[in-house]
Amino acid sequence: MTRFGFAALALVVAAATPQASKPVCAPDNVGLTLQPGFCALMVAESIGPSRHLVVLENGDLLVAVAGGNGGVRLLRDTTGDGKADIVRSFGVGGGTGIAFAGEYLYFATNDAVVRWHWQVGQLEPPSAPDTVVSGLTNRRQHAAKSLAIGADGMLYVNIGAPSNSCQVADRTPESPGQDPCPLLDIAGGIWRFDPRRGGQTQQDGQRFATGLRNAVALAVDPGTGSMFAAQHGRDQLAANWPKLYNDAQSAELPAEAVFRLETGGDYGWPYCYYDWRRRQNVLQPEYGGDGKTAGRCETTPRPVVAFPGHWAPDGMAFYNNRRFPMKYRGGLFIAFHGSWNRAPLPQAGYKVMFVPIERGIATGPAEVFADGFAGKDVSPNGARYRPTGLAVGPDGSLFVTSDQGTGAVFRIVSQP
């Protein structure tokens, strides 16, 4: 090849490769309130209800989009300002879970996981996806499937329980709980599959962890290889058990709990919940609890960290980069989608929190990292944005998705 041929090839490669990123933050940080030393910009809007995402080594974003026109969005910045100027859409229906590992892109709808062979730099898949697993439990309530590729290379899938507390009559006042809860055979936990095998059903997987009502947020600690899950706690303590709980108690309980998972671990649902004020596991009223008694829950694992009720943790990411200040390295970011049922207290969540973590243990209190997503109306219908997914980019930026309305992706960067 002549030197002119090499030059032409270089131009083609440069055109296909995103520019080195020097993101330009918005003057008002797109309405967000951030910790000192950080600023924010909008990567993309109106791409559909944006759920979880991954960031590839070249800076491309791949976003899982929910709804009938969902699928996957590829976002690329070719100018270096941090905003996506190329958007591609593909996929097999709306979904939440997405992961990338071993040259494969995995995507989860509400009842299946598919994968494409993916070379970093391409804009869309060259062919239809292969089905890894289908027939996952999907009974509408808590149907979204989130994904993680473990340190062992296996595929981990959250299968939320289609229930509030496994009552005989779901969400009915004073209806007793089913004991044992039959739903735990098909849901309410994390299932593990071999991602190299195609055509699997749920029965081909292993129930890795149980007793998790709906763990939308999954993350692997790169320091230890441990899997972490954040659970959505149950609803309607006061509505279903007015003799035991008042509305103010029901607004704060149970805790939204983050667990470090162990193989075969049972984290208590539906028999137990964690009371973050008492700092103890408590027996659920459906199973004879009175809001104070631990009973059979005494030996249930306690969370690594817990938050007030109904904040709805939807995304997590460990910070495995050196761009942010030292205090953030190895720590855990959590995206809270926001509550709908904290009356008479104000609705809460709608923010990104940070927890310092070392060797799987929280080493300090949680703090607000980014707030203001909802805007003035902090409510499910009035919020402008609701944090959903989190991912750390190769340059150390933190990306945050929102599935409210037409969807959005934010980027938070550390200022020099």
Side-chain angles (χ1 to χ4, degrees):
M1 182 179 290
T2 67
R3 62 189 180 93
F4 299 104
F6 280 117
L9 178 61
L11 288 173
V12 171
V13 172
T17 304
Q19 298 289 322
S21 182
K22 295 181 180 179
V24 180
C25 287
D28 65 346
N29 291 324
V30 284
L32 302 185
T33 302
L34 306 170
Q35 286 287 326
F38 293 91
C39 64
L41 65 148
M42 184 70 71
V43 176
E45 287 190 280
S46 301
I47 60 171
S50 302
R51 299 288 287 176
H52 293 172
L53 78 162
V54 293
V55 190
L56 302 184
E57 61 188 43
N58 70 336
D60 285 350
L61 276 64
L62 292 160
V63 184
V65 176
N69 296 317
V72 179
R73 303 288 184 270
L74 179 139
L75 308 180
R76 177 175 291 177
D77 165 27
T78 65
T79 65
D81 63 358
K83 299 179 181 179
D85 50 275
I86 292 178
V87 179
R88 292 287 189 274
S89 300
F90 58 91
V92 290
T96 288
I98 194 165
F100 181 79
E103 298 184 355
Y104 284 95
L105 175 66
Y106 298 86
F107 173 65
T109 64
N110 287 353
D111 56 14
V113 180
V114 301
R115 75 174 191 177
W116 294 271
H117 186 266
W118 192 274
Q119 292 184 340
V120 175
Q122 68 187 56
L123 287 171
E124 50 194 343
S127 60
D130 298 320
T131 299
V132 178
V133 57
S134 61
L136 299 174
T137 299
N138 178 7
R139 298 185 182 177
R140 296 188 179 181
Q141 188 177 174
H142 306 145
K145 303 298 183 289
S146 46
L147 303 177
I149 301 295
D152 57 0
M154 300 296 278
L155 175 67
Y156 293 79
V157 183
N158 166 62
I159 303 179
S163 173
N164 185 36
S165 52
C166 205
Q167 292 171 283
V168 172
D170 193 35
R171 299 179 185 268
T172 299
E174 300 189 5
S175 176
Q178 300 177 76
D179 192 0
C181 174
L183 292 175
L184 291 175
D185 292 334
I186 60 167
I190 309 300
W191 265 252
R192 178 166 58 191
F193 299 90
D194 185 344
R196 298 166 296 181
R197 292 179 55 199
Q200 299 176 79
T201 66
Q202 186 169 333
Q203 289 69 35
D204 293 313
Q206 174 193 14
R207 189 175 64 175
F208 169 70
T210 191
L212 294 162
R213 178 173 175 263
N214 190 27
V216 182
L218 297 176
V220 178
D221 181 352
T224 64
S226 296
M227 182 72 64
F228 282 67
Q231 175 177 239
H232 286 222
R234 58 85 50 85
D235 303 317
Q236 299 174 303
L237 282 170
N240 289 347
W241 301 93
K243 296 176 184 177
L244 298 175
Y245 299 88
N246 60 42
D247 288 340
Q249 291 172 319
S250 189
E252 296 278 25
L253 296 173
E256 307 286 57
V258 178
F259 294 102
R260 181 183 182 182
L261 304 183
E262 302 287 346
T263 302
D266 185 342
Y267 298 90
W269 184 90
Y271 315 112
C272 312
Y273 70 78
Y274 186 73
D275 185 327
W276 62 276
R277 302 175 308 176
R278 293 175 174 271
R279 297 184 180 182
Q280 71 175 56
N281 290 314
V282 174
L283 189 65
Q284 295 259 37
E286 288 81 0
Y287 299 90
D290 58 5
K292 301 175 183 178
T293 302
R296 66 200 276 187
C297 305
E298 187 67 41
T299 58
T300 300
R302 296 191 179 192
V304 173
V305 63
F307 297 86
H310 318 299
W311 282 21
D314 268 11
M316 294 195 298
F318 280 90
Y319 195 76
N320 58 346
N321 196 285
R322 297 184 177 183
R323 180 64 178 175
F324 284 10
M326 180 67 74
K327 64 175 284 188
Y328 295 102
R329 296 177 194 175
L332 182 64
F333 288 101
I334 308 172
F336 287 96
H337 196 237
S339 65
W340 60 270
N341 55 346
R342 283 179 58 87
L345 303 183
Q347 300 302 334
Y350 304 87
K351 65 185 72 174
V352 175
M353 302 289 292
F354 173 75
V355 184
I357 299 280
E358 186 174 343
R359 297 181 181 178
I361 298 173
T363 57
E367 68 178 27
V368 178
F369 179 74
D371 203 349
F373 292 93
K376 295 181 179 180
D377 188 351
V378 183
S379 69
N381 293 328
R384 187 176 182 188
Y385 305 105
R386 300 182 73 178
T388 307
L390 292 172
V392 178
D395 73 332
S397 296
L398 182 69
F399 293 86
V400 187
T401 62
S402 167
D403 65 355
Q404 186 81 322
T406 59
V409 180
F410 298 82
R411 183 175 182 174
I412 301 174
V413 302
S414 178
Q415 294 177 309

